Amino acid sequence: MTRPARSPAPSPGRRRAALAMLAALAGVLPGCANLAPDYRRPAAPLPAGWLQGASPLPPGTVPTGPGAAPSDQAVAAPDATLPPPAELGWRDFFQDDRLRQVVALALDNNRDLRVAALNIAQARAQYGIQRAALLPTVNATATGIRQRTLTATGTSVLSQQYSVGLGFASWEIDFFDRIGNLSEAALQTFFSTAETRRSVQIALVADTANAWLTLATDQRRLRLAQETLRSQQASYDLTRRARDLGAESGLTLAQARTTVDAARGDVAAYTRQVAQDRNALALLVGAVPPPELLPPGGEAADDIAAVPQSALVAVPAGLPSEVLQGRPDVGAAERALQAANARIGAARAAFFPSIRLTASGGSASRELSGLFGSGSGLWSFSPQIVLPIFTAGALRASLDVAEIGRDITVAQYEKTLQSAFREASDALAARETLGEQIAAQQSLRDATATALRLSQARFRTGLDSYLDVLVTQRSYYTAGQNLITLQLAEQANRITLYRVLGGGWRETTEPAAGAVE
């Protein structure tokens, strides 16, 4: 078996030249040019303050007017012991301990929030993959070749070759920060995902609280319907006995029967609604809440103390619209804009030359025993410079895509801000009128209660027909249901303000997306 001649060892001059080239390349790395445009936050397309008519009630203001005494508790001034607005968390926001525990269960078990957290982990991993491209990938290889070939004379020759090596292939030196901008885009995408997770959490807190309050409200509606049914059933029984004695007509008995049947229908409807409310709350919580954490069901329907209260700090007068920058959806939109800005830099860098290095070193031998022997060393160094000359417009089109994508993201960011402003303005406008509306509805309910008592008295004395009693009974029942609905709307408005202002309002406008290692 013949052994081929070994390649001569590289001369000291070649080695010095290769090391000098590597040193020169390393020396210019700190001077790499970033071709991404300078990022500037777009001007917010919003007025400096809130829209006309959306100013909040001054702190401590309560509605005035007939019947305001019992209902003003729903919009009373906030507790002076609450923390400052920037530090207000959901645990401070809700006063009912049962509601706090239900929200805590939802944050632990809700599947949408779990998906949002996993999306963050996925975005972090994607950023790690992109950032790893800045450094060379070093691989160790070991090969063994054994083959049989035929010579020109027809004899067979058995040969073998063993080698081990260490090296890297096609490592791009990021002169124009193409890879760095792609890494920056991945980082901003990670931050955007983190903001989205915060948005999901705030929405979950608000939705869980609304579902809990809706359950409490529908239980009050059910109690009112049950009380009405008992009252109407007792009235019907009296009318039937009077009819049997000949004191009432069949028309009066039939009219009394209609009120009983209507109340029975409402009891069935609200019983079904309460069951559905419990199912909706269980879906948000991710498990069936313990019975002791559900809203109480024993209070009278017209007892204002039965309304679960939330503590909303008063919105300061003259609060600027810039507070919307703290909303997580606005922060996510801005992070997406910064990522689009970085992708423009990567598209611009594609117009310039790219330098890739491939290098390896190791040992090779015809015999396994001589693999690490003297004179078996091998090395290679292969720099490559690629200059795009003709790409049929592909690079220009790629840059256009990146720039148009940035413009689209700017429009989406501005739309997010405008939507946030509209939501906050709507919530403030509703808060300005809900207190007075509740007071008016309470006064209306009291008036219909008085009218019902007088109508019943006039019917018993024969001055009015039973139809007048039916009309006032329906008015009294409707006024009571509407009052319960308005009290829920007032509480839901508090929660809406907490959500649309990003879980509280803060002075800083730069969202904290978390650190990335």
Side-chain angles (χ1 to χ4, degrees):
M1 181 184 300
T2 60
R3 180 175 296 180
R6 296 183 183 276
S7 301
S11 64
R14 289 182 180 179
R15 290 179 179 175
R16 285 194 296 271
L19 292 175
M21 180 177 293
L22 285 174
L25 292 174
V28 300
L29 281 177
C32 294
N34 190 340
L35 301 179
D38 294 335
Y39 175 76
R40 291 182 179 85
R41 174 183 287 173
L46 305 175
W50 306 108
L51 297 178
Q52 183 69 25
S55 58
L57 290 174
T61 299
V62 296
T64 59
S71 65
D72 59 7
Q73 298 299 318
V75 289
D79 190 346
T81 62
L82 289 175
E87 301 174 6
L88 183 67
W90 65 266
R91 292 186 182 275
D92 301 313
F93 182 75
F94 301 116
Q95 291 182 337
D96 193 296
D97 187 61
R98 293 162 299 188
L99 178 54
R100 289 194 193 105
Q101 294 184 57
V102 170
V103 172
L105 285 175
L107 293 177
D108 289 337
N109 299 317
N110 184 267
R111 298 324 191 253
D112 289 335
L113 192 59
R114 288 186 186 179
V115 170
L118 292 173
N119 286 336
I120 293 179
Q122 186 180 50
R124 180 192 291 269
Q126 188 63 43
Y127 167 69
I129 293 173
Q130 188 61 57
R131 185 161 181 79
L134 291 170
L135 300 175
T137 300
V138 180
N139 298 311
T141 59
T143 59
I145 300 175
R146 185 179 178 87
Q147 62 181 1
R148 182 176 180 179
T149 59
L150 294 176
T151 64
T153 60
T155 60
S156 62
V157 177
L158 185 65
S159 62
Q160 54 192 13
Q161 179 76 27
Y162 303 95
S163 65
V164 293
L166 189 69
F168 56 88
S170 297
W171 172 47
E172 181 177 348
I173 301 178
D174 201 19
F175 278 113
F176 303 101
D177 217 21
R178 185 186 71 86
I179 300 176
N181 278 310
L182 292 177
S183 177
E184 175 67 16
L187 176 62
Q188 296 302 329
T189 300
F190 164 75
F191 286 149
S192 177
T193 307
E195 292 286 0
T196 301
R197 191 263 183 196
R198 190 163 69 94
S199 181
V200 171
Q201 176 170 322
I202 292 173
L204 175 61
V205 169
D207 290 344
T208 303
N210 278 325
W212 195 90
L213 290 171
T214 299
L215 174 59
T217 298
D218 284 339
Q219 288 181 165
R220 294 183 67 214
R221 290 184 175 126
L222 176 59
R223 289 194 298 273
L224 178 58
Q226 290 170 339
E227 292 171 4
T228 302
L229 175 60
R230 286 193 294 268
S231 174
Q232 297 304 320
Q233 184 67 51
S235 178
Y236 172 75
D237 293 339
L238 289 174
T239 304
R240 185 180 60 184
R241 286 195 291 270
R243 172 70 176 82
D244 293 340
L245 296 174
E248 294 292 347
S249 66
L251 175 61
T252 301
L253 182 63
Q255 289 172 336
R257 184 66 189 179
T258 61
T259 62
V260 174
D261 291 339
R264 286 177 56 201
D266 285 347
V267 168
Y270 288 125
T271 300
R272 178 179 65 251
Q273 189 61 50
V274 166
Q276 292 175 346
D277 290 342
R278 288 175 177 169
N279 294 337
L281 183 61
L283 176 62
L284 288 168
V285 172
V288 178
E292 62 271 15
L293 298 184
L294 296 178
E299 296 86 350
D302 58 350
D303 183 6
I304 191 66
V307 183
Q309 297 293 300
S310 58
L312 177 67
V313 295
V315 181
L319 185 69
S321 60
E322 283 79 5
V323 298
L324 298 176
Q325 296 286 354
R327 280 179 43 138
D329 57 341
V330 174
E334 184 172 7
R335 295 295 186 179
L337 179 56
Q338 291 173 324
N341 202 67
R343 283 191 284 269
I344 292 177
R348 288 176 176 176
F351 285 87
F352 294 87
S354 62
I355 298 178
R356 294 180 173 87
L357 300 181
T358 299
S360 64
S363 177
S365 173
R366 295 286 300 274
E367 302 293 338
L368 186 60
S369 59
L371 185 60
F372 298 102
S374 176
S376 63
L378 298 175
W379 66 273
S380 66
F381 177 72
S382 176
Q384 181 185 35
I385 299 178
V386 178
L387 176 64
I389 296 177
F390 177 73
T391 61
L395 294 180
R396 178 69 255 180
S398 297
L399 180 57
D400 290 343
V401 168
E403 290 176 342
I404 295 172
R406 187 265 317 275
D407 295 340
I408 292 173
T409 311
V410 168
Q412 291 171 338
Y413 169 77
E414 293 174 344
K415 177 63 180 297
T416 302
L417 268 176
Q418 291 174 340
S419 298
F421 181 82
R422 184 261 175 98
E423 291 175 359
S425 296
D426 286 349
L428 289 172
R431 181 140 200 88
E432 186 178 10
T433 57
L434 272 172
E436 187 64 29
Q437 191 176 4
I438 290 175
Q441 188 64 36
Q442 179 70 52
S443 177
L444 175 61
R445 185 179 182 277
D446 295 342
T448 56
T450 302
L452 178 59
R453 289 193 300 270
L454 295 175
S455 178
Q456 289 172 337
R458 289 174 64 86
F459 169 71
R460 286 192 294 267
T461 58
L463 295 176
D464 288 335
S465 68
Y466 195 74
L467 181 60
D468 295 324
V469 177
L470 290 178
V471 171
T472 53
Q473 282 177 340
R474 177 53 59 182
S475 298
Y476 174 74
Y477 177 73
T478 302
Q481 293 287 7
N482 289 342
L483 177 60
I484 294 174
T485 300
L486 282 174
Q487 288 167 346
L488 173 63
E490 194 278 332
Q491 290 297 298
N493 176 259
R494 293 171 181 253
I495 298 171
T496 298
L497 269 174
Y498 181 79
R499 179 181 61 82
V500 299
L501 295 177
W505 40 93
R506 48 188 62 81
E507 295 298 329
T508 58
T509 57
E510 186 68 22
V516 179
E517 298 178 359

